[in-house]
Amino acid sequence: MVRIWLGDHLIAEYVAEPDRASRYQRVMTPKFTGLRITVDGAATAGASELPSEQLWPLTVQ
């Protein structure tokens, strides 16, 4: 789990397997210069891919 913090406020959170979480952190670090970015490896153990089927019947038009 990668989290981006503005002071004590969580402004972004990304949960994925370790490889993807690491890539996300590398991409976000330059974009959020000066903000604290934390990585919690224990939280990624239960991460899984999103299902391939549509989860809702309607989309925004």
Side-chain angles (χ1 to χ4, degrees):
M1 181 179 330
V2 180
R3 292 180 173 164
I4 302 172
W5 302 87
L6 177 60
D8 292 335
H9 303 283
L10 178 65
I11 61 169
E13 182 176 67
Y14 179 73
V15 178
E17 52 278 339
D19 293 351
R20 287 182 148 182
S22 178
R23 280 189 289 170
Y24 180 82
Q25 179 202 17
R26 284 194 309 270
V27 169
M28 291 297 126
T29 297
K31 292 182 180 190
F32 292 100
T33 302
L35 298 185
R36 182 170 49 113
I37 299 178
T38 60
V39 179
D40 181 9
T44 63
S48 61
E49 292 292 324
L50 291 174
S52 59
E53 72 272 4
Q54 186 174 357
L55 298 177
W56 54 89
L58 301 175
T59 59
V60 177
Q61 304 257 342

